[in-house]
């Protein structure tokens, strides 16, 4: 397969016009939520050399890779074949064995300090434990070597970001997240079990476009995808505000789409794009399918059991003096009743004033 130095180089070698290239850049900017005023920067970035990516796999189920290849905008095939130079990924690669491991060493030397290191899976910290061996070597050693020569690290999934289910108690493999092993490199965390496909491709596409990682929050997550709570974008939110909750997964409330908070939904404390991006090209997400959110983007979510019992409090409810979740509906209805009564009283006063004004005008016309 022919290799391309940049996206623009690919268009030229395929005989495609500059106009088509600009259209593609415009579409990419729209998919990434980039303002039209920054189109010139997107075009400039697309003319630069494709970023080299090394993708390592640690203690995992490969669910993040399964999610990645299902991205629809941008498509994973476009990202892998046209936007980045994926030089090592033992799951997606056709090559294997000793020659492939030697290729990894060649890439590390040839692109020292230039490549992006993508990591999927937790890290068993004991090098001599025999857990998670890659090419006859402990994964923790492979990670340290690759991280020492990379430009930045993208942690795909809750396992590489926080430790994941491998780190759940009693954690016999002593697994942990990459940030607890590597502390001297720029790191961006893309948690989820697995993450939303378009979030995964969106992060690497941002780097391909601008040559830098996107802005992150205080936990190292990209703000553009983890800036809102699922609770704030959930289509069931109006039922929460009205105090209408399903008490059982099979009751009438659940079938009518009422809020699942009392069934353990972690939406009020979980930051993710599930409520707006959703899954499989916007088709659905767990809450829409009738399952409560388990907070899979959160640290230690696997140990916050039982997963189907309500969390003690909703951030923001008690602090605002609104009581608890059992009274929020009553408070909302009471506030609405007060508002309706106030509106009715104001309307009556305004009507009385209008009537008086009309009577005065009528009297003045008669006197004239």
């Amino acid at each position: 397969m022919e290799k391309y130095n940049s996206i623009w180089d690919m268009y030229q070698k395929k005989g495609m016009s500059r106009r088509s290239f600009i259209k593609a850049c415009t579409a990419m900017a729209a998919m990434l939520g980039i303002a039209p005023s920054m189109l010139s920067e997107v075009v400039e970035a697309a003319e630069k050399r494709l970023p080299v990516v090394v993708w390592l796999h640690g203690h995992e189920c490969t669910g993040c890779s399964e999610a990645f290849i299902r991205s629809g905008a941008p498509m994973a095939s476009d990202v892998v074949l046209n936007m980045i130079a994926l030089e090592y990924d033992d799951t997606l690669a056709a090559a294997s064995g000793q020659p492939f491991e030697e290729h990894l060493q060649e890439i590390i030397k040839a692109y020292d300090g230039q490549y992006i290191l993508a990591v999927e899976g937790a890290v068993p910290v004991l090098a001599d434990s025999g857990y998670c061996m890659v090419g006859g070597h402990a994964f923790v050693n492979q990670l340290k070597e690759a991280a020492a020569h990379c430009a930045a690290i993208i942690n795909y999934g809750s396992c590489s970001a926080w430790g994941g289910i491998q780190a759940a108690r009693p954690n016999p493999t002593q697994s942990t997240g990459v940030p607890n092993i590597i502390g001297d490199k720029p790191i961006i965390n893309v948690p989820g079990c697995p993450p939303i496909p378009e979030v995964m491709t969106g992060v690497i596409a941002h780097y391909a476009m601008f040559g830098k990682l996107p802005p992150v929050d205080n936990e190292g997550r990209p703000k553009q995808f983890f800036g809102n709570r699922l609770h704030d974008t959930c289509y069931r939110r109006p039922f929460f505000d009205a105090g209408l909750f399903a008490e059982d997964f099979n009751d009438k409330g659940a079938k009518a789409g009422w809020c699942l908070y009392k069934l353990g939904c972690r939406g009020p404390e979980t930051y993710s794009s599930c409520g707006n991006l959703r899954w499989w090209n916007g088709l659905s997400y767990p809450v829409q399918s009738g399952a409560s959110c388990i907070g899979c983007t959160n640290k230690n979510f696997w140990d916050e059991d039982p997963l189907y019992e309500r969390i003690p409090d909703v951030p923001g409810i008690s602090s605002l003096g609104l009581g608890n979740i059992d009274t929020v509906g009553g408070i909302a209805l009471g506030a609405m009743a007060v508002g309706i009564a106030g509106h009715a009283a104001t309307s009556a006063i305004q009507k009385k004033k209008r009537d008086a004004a009309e009577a005065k005008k009528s009297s003045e016309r008669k006197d004239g």
Side-chain angles (χ1 to χ4, degrees):
M1 184 181 67
E2 185 175 12
K3 286 192 174 182
Y4 308 109
N5 293 323
S6 67
I7 298 176
W8 173 229
D9 179 52
M10 176 198 68
Y11 271 74
Q12 289 179 304
K13 290 181 178 179
K14 289 188 175 183
M16 301 175 73
S17 67
R18 179 73 177 180
R19 182 182 181 86
S20 297
F21 171 68
I22 298 298
K23 285 184 176 180
C25 290
T26 303
M28 181 58 63
M31 285 188 289
L32 295 176
I34 298 171
S37 60
M38 297 181 66
L39 178 59
S40 61
E41 297 180 42
V42 174
V43 172
E44 182 182 355
E47 293 173 332
K48 295 179 180 179
R49 177 178 291 275
L50 299 180
V52 174
V53 177
V54 170
W55 192 318
L56 301 183
H57 293 261
H59 234 181
E60 42 131 4
C61 67
T62 319
C64 297
S65 289
E66 290 285 352
F68 180 84
I69 62 176
R70 287 166 174 78
S71 175
M75 293 184 66
S77 57
D78 286 338
V79 173
V80 172
L81 300 177
N82 302 326
M83 298 182 67
I84 65 173
L86 184 59
E87 292 290 347
Y88 182 89
D89 184 330
D90 57 18
T91 299
L92 298 180
S96 63
Q98 188 63 30
F100 193 46
E101 296 306 312
E102 291 176 355
H103 177 68
L104 173 61
Q105 296 302 317
E106 293 171 359
I107 292 300
I108 290 176
K109 293 178 181 178
Y111 296 95
D112 189 3
Q114 302 176 51
Y115 61 86
I116 287 293
L117 178 61
V119 184
E120 180 180 347
V123 188
V125 297
L126 299 180
D128 59 350
S129 65
Y131 296 118
C132 197
M133 306 294 287
V134 181
H137 303 283
F139 176 66
V140 64
N141 292 336
Q142 184 192 44
L143 171 67
K144 289 179 178 179
E145 180 185 14
H149 300 277
C150 75
I153 300 174
I154 300 176
N155 290 322
Y156 280 136
S158 291
C159 294
S160 58
W162 322 128
I165 196 168
Q166 286 74 232
R169 58 177 181 265
N171 193 5
T173 62
Q174 296 189 37
S175 290
T176 189
V178 172
N180 293 328
I181 303 296
I182 309 299
D184 59 348
K185 295 289 181 177
I187 293 179
I188 188 166
N189 294 318
V190 187
C193 194
I196 296 173
E198 286 73 21
V199 173
M200 298 181 71
T201 53
V203 170
I204 194 66
H206 186 284
Y207 189 90
M209 287 286 100
F210 299 106
K212 60 182 180 181
L213 297 175
V216 298
D217 62 14
N218 60 357
E219 292 191 350
R221 303 171 298 190
K223 290 181 178 180
Q224 66 197 101
F225 298 117
F226 294 89
N228 295 307
R229 297 181 302 170
L230 186 149
H231 183 62
D232 299 323
T233 57
C234 182
Y235 77 101
R236 296 179 187 251
R237 175 64 185 268
F239 295 106
F240 174 91
D241 294 337
L244 298 175
F245 302 97
E247 303 284 347
D248 184 273
F249 284 113
N250 297 308
D251 67 14
K252 293 182 179 179
K255 294 177 181 178
W258 288 8
C259 181
L260 300 173
Y261 173 76
K262 288 188 177 181
L263 295 175
C265 186
R266 267 59 172 170
E269 63 178 18
T270 300
Y271 287 81
S272 76
S273 293
C274 293
N276 44 12
L277 281 181
R278 306 191 184 189
W279 287 75
W280 316 134
N281 298 313
L283 176 64
S284 185
Y285 69 112
V287 172
Q288 186 175 340
S289 69
S292 55
C293 169
I294 62 174
C296 72
T297 62
N298 299 333
K299 292 181 179 179
N300 306 316
F301 82 90
W302 49 89
D303 280 333
E304 293 179 349
D305 54 345
L307 295 177
Y308 298 105
E309 290 186 10
R310 53 180 283 185
I311 54 179
D313 194 11
V314 177
I317 295 293
S318 299
S319 61
L320 293 176
L322 299 178
N324 57 44
I325 195 63
D326 297 311
T327 59
V328 66
I331 292 174
L333 290 174
M336 182 165 54
V338 171
I340 291 173
H343 177 72
T346 302
S347 298
I349 293 172
Q350 291 176 342
K351 184 177 185 302
K352 187 175 182 180
K353 288 181 178 180
R354 287 197 302 270
D355 291 344
E358 288 294 333
K360 183 178 180 180
K361 288 180 180 180
S362 178
S363 178
E364 289 175 349
R365 284 196 296 269
K366 289 180 180 178
D367 292 340

